[in-house]
Amino acid sequence: MTMKLEDKHAGNGDLVGEGQPYLGEKYQANGKPVANGRGEISVKQEANGKCGVPRKSLNMYSWQEIQKHNQKADQWLVINRKVYDVTAWANKHPGGSRVLNHYAGEDATDVFRAMHLDLDIVKLYLKPLLIGELAPEEPSQERHKSSQLVEDVRELRRTLEAMNMFKVNPVFFFLHFAQILILETLAWLIVWHFGSGWPVTIFISFLLTISQVQCFFLQHDLGHTSIFPKSKWSRLMQKVVMGHLKGLSTCWWNHRHFQHHVKTNIYPKDPDINTGPLFVNGYLKPAQNGKKKISYNNYEKQHLCFYMVGLFLLMPVYANLMSMEMMYLQKYWGEFAWVSSFYIRYFIMFGPFYGIFGTILLIFLVKFLESPWVAYVTQMSHVPMRISKEENRDWLSTQVLATCNVEQSFFNDWFTGHLNFQIEHHLFPTMPRHNYHKVAPLVRSLCAKHGLQYVNKPLLKAFGDITRDLKKSATLWMDAYYET
């Protein structure tokens, strides 16, 4: 269903500003517009011809039509009832092309608002992509979604903005960064003063492990632009923390992590649940692999594999290899320079005491020690929760069904980098984490209103639920595999 909506040029600056290109036009290298068959914006002259004021029209679409454009080579999405063709823009998207592809053919209003900080800047990029609007008789979101629930979530966000819950406390993040620098400096001073014997090496390894994990939490905040008022400042500081202080690629992390956020526990869109041959998790993949007699691993004992392999090799092997692979394949030489500076810094600091080979061993010892910490914190809130194929649920349901919280305490907040409030973090990624505990009661109340279970559990139970869920998934795989 396609119709035309016409407005006088002077009467709708929201769509086309004076002196701006018409929304929906595509451009050649020389800046001239080229034809766009799908969302053509026609220009008409006033009938009296006195001053030649143009009129324009936007195509109007039904949800049935929009949902057809959900392929990599043909991607439309809806934001605030406006229809955008993001096909050509996807590969330029700072958050990665797959994020847009995951929402092709869907309403992306809430995820767009959740993931972006500088809306005025982002809207400038949207303008040339506009091809039309939803027809007046169409609802603002897909018909299977609850309009009341969607509106309640948006009202909650407006309430939180009025309460200044997105306002940053600079002292909090200054102290967090100072903690990292103090630990790094202290480790060097101890080696310089006491030498590089085994007791000293073990002790500074624990200091550096704490520093590395806290760097991980800080770069996570920066990646979500939840610290500085300008996104570009956060991006630069993230390169310092992730690249120089941790030795990993920010592009690798962001492209992967943003997919996880927008389609949490949705198979195969969330890369965090694409565990390759090592594990089968949830209830879909185990049954599918079992019926197809796929057995890359002894899945009956995959929970032991998690303890012996997954926990300790996540950071020193998997993260490092994936980071290096992406930098090389995508030719991110700037990223490579930042990561190289991490190793140069370690050789300058600890090379005089340990030598080249000893410094390399120290680096990987620290990564080996931090790996279980990071693995438990990142997996405890999602692995035991619902894992499913694409169901195109509303923003609240998508996050709450796939995410759980861990009880608050000063230690839990510090130990998890406030990721014990994963529900609040997934709903409002750009919110400074020191405000999560203030928001949690309102989110819990909203979940109760709409019959969604708000899961909050003790820290050790959350750890144990990871392996308990892996055992359940293994049982599903075995039942399907041995079924006659």
Side-chain angles (χ1 to χ4, degrees):
M1 171 183 159
T2 305
M3 298 183 295
K4 295 281 187 179
L5 174 66
E6 298 186 354
D7 294 295
K8 288 192 176 182
H9 178 68
N12 193 353
D14 179 56
L15 294 179
V16 179
E18 188 173 344
Q20 296 292 327
Y22 290 110
L23 312 186
E25 288 182 342
K26 295 183 179 179
Y27 296 86
Q28 304 175 21
N30 61 9
K32 293 181 180 180
V34 298
N36 181 350
R38 288 200 191 100
E40 182 182 359
I41 298 181
S42 61
V43 180
K44 298 181 179 180
Q45 301 294 326
E46 289 290 337
N48 57 19
K50 287 184 179 179
C51 53
V53 177
R55 293 167 60 90
K56 63 186 179 300
S57 62
L58 284 175
N59 285 345
M60 302 184 69
Y61 299 101
S62 67
W63 278 112
Q64 183 178 10
E65 171 65 20
I66 292 166
Q67 288 164 353
K68 296 176 183 177
H69 302 273
N70 62 352
Q71 304 301 315
K72 184 176 180 180
D74 182 17
Q75 305 178 45
W76 292 10
L77 51 79
V78 177
I79 300 173
N80 292 321
R81 295 190 63 86
K82 300 289 193 298
V83 182
Y84 298 91
D85 183 348
V86 298
T87 310
W89 165 248
N91 288 331
K92 305 173 187 177
H93 184 235
S97 60
R98 293 183 181 180
V99 172
L100 297 182
N101 183 240
H102 292 341
Y103 266 87
E106 300 179 15
D107 176 47
T109 303
D110 294 313
V111 65
F112 171 81
R113 184 65 189 91
M115 298 297 291
H116 294 99
L117 178 67
D118 301 327
L119 288 184
D120 291 338
I121 294 177
V122 177
K123 287 176 181 177
L124 294 178
Y125 290 95
L126 282 178
K127 281 186 176 183
L129 309 177
L130 180 66
I131 61 172
E133 291 186 328
L134 285 172
E137 67 272 14
E138 293 288 337
S140 296
Q141 60 282 319
E142 297 91 329
R143 285 184 169 82
H144 67 274
K145 295 178 181 177
S146 167
S147 58
Q148 184 61 56
L149 189 156
V150 171
E151 179 54 35
D152 285 351
V153 172
R154 294 174 185 175
E155 179 61 32
L156 174 60
R157 184 179 185 93
R158 290 190 288 268
T159 300
L160 298 179
E161 289 172 348
M163 294 170 61
N164 289 323
M165 289 296 100
F166 291 87
K167 186 175 181 180
V168 178
N169 179 357
V171 176
F172 174 88
F173 288 106
F174 172 80
L175 293 175
H176 187 94
F177 188 56
Q179 165 194 211
I180 294 168
L181 297 182
I182 290 170
L183 288 168
E184 296 267 340
T185 305
L186 185 59
W188 180 82
L189 288 174
I190 290 173
V191 176
W192 175 75
H193 185 75
F194 293 102
S196 56
W198 276 108
V200 170
T201 301
I202 292 172
F203 182 68
I204 69 161
S205 295
F206 281 106
L207 292 181
L208 293 172
T209 296
I210 296 172
S211 171
Q212 285 293 291
V213 174
Q214 296 302 320
C215 276
F216 174 79
F217 295 145
L218 183 59
Q219 73 82 24
H220 175 252
D221 296 320
L222 291 163
H224 284 296
T225 63
S226 62
I227 298 180
F228 294 106
K230 296 292 183 182
S231 296
K232 61 181 180 181
W233 300 351
S234 292
R235 297 291 180 230
L236 175 60
M237 194 62 186
Q238 188 188 21
K239 292 182 185 297
V240 173
V241 177
M242 187 63 151
H244 181 65
L245 295 181
K246 276 201 67 63
L248 293 172
S249 165
T250 57
C251 288
W252 163 73
W253 169 261
N254 288 340
H255 287 193
R256 178 186 180 89
H257 190 59
F258 295 160
Q259 291 181 71
H260 161 70
H261 261 270
V262 302
K263 290 293 182 181
T264 309
N265 279 15
I266 301 299
Y267 182 81
K269 295 181 177 181
D270 182 354
D272 283 9
I273 60 173
N274 292 337
T275 51
L278 279 180
F279 306 103
V280 288
N281 47 8
Y283 64 90
L284 291 174
K285 189 177 178 182
Q288 290 175 354
N289 284 13
K291 289 178 181 178
K292 295 177 182 178
K293 308 301 179 185
I294 296 175
S295 179
Y296 297 115
N297 189 13
N298 183 4
Y299 296 128
E300 297 177 54
K301 301 188 184 303
Q302 67 173 355
H303 60 289
L304 298 179
C305 182
F306 173 77
Y307 283 129
M308 295 184 292
V309 178
L311 280 180
F312 294 99
L313 298 186
L314 173 65
M315 298 304 290
V317 177
Y318 178 78
N320 274 281
L321 289 178
M322 293 297 100
S323 172
M324 292 291 182
E325 179 188 42
M326 185 170 190
M327 288 188 293
Y328 174 73
L329 293 179
Q330 301 297 327
K331 295 180 172 57
Y332 292 149
W333 305 127
E335 291 274 299
F336 188 80
W338 280 108
V339 171
S340 298
S341 73
F342 164 81
Y343 292 95
I344 293 171
R345 177 174 62 87
Y346 257 73
F347 286 128
I348 291 174
M349 290 176 65
F350 299 105
F353 309 106
Y354 293 101
I356 295 177
F357 183 70
T359 303
I360 292 174
L361 288 180
L362 176 64
I363 290 172
F364 280 91
L365 174 60
V366 171
K367 289 182 178 293
F368 182 82
L369 292 174
E370 74 163 316
S371 192
W373 189 343
V374 172
Y376 268 125
V377 169
T378 56
Q379 301 306 307
M380 66 182 183
S381 296
H382 298 299
V383 170
M385 302 301 288
R386 179 184 176 87
I387 298 175
S388 64
K389 289 185 176 181
E390 179 60 78
E391 297 173 330
N392 191 10
R393 292 178 177 269
D394 61 86
W395 183 240
L396 179 67
S397 300
T398 296
Q399 303 305 332
V400 173
L401 292 174
T403 311
C404 68
N405 280 6
V406 167
E407 293 175 350
Q408 184 193 18
S409 69
F410 179 82
F411 174 79
N412 287 356
D413 291 351
W414 174 82
F415 185 82
T416 66
H418 288 86
L419 293 180
N420 50 331
F421 289 99
Q422 278 278 18
I423 294 175
E424 287 70 29
H425 169 61
H426 268 254
L427 288 173
F428 311 107
T430 60
M431 179 180 290
R433 56 176 154 121
H434 51 71
N435 287 332
Y436 290 160
H437 71 281
K438 303 174 185 176
V439 173
L442 297 177
V443 175
R444 184 193 290 266
S445 176
L446 182 61
C447 290
K449 176 180 178 181
H450 291 281
L452 294 169
Q453 186 178 11
Y454 182 99
V455 179
N456 190 34
K457 61 181 72 170
L459 182 64
L460 293 181
K461 184 179 186 305
F463 288 170
D465 281 349
I466 297 174
T467 50
R468 281 187 282 270
D469 190 77
L470 289 174
K471 288 181 181 180
K472 290 179 183 178
S473 297
T475 300
L476 292 173
W477 175 83
M478 287 188 291
D479 290 343
Y481 189 88
Y482 294 111
E483 188 178 53
T484 56

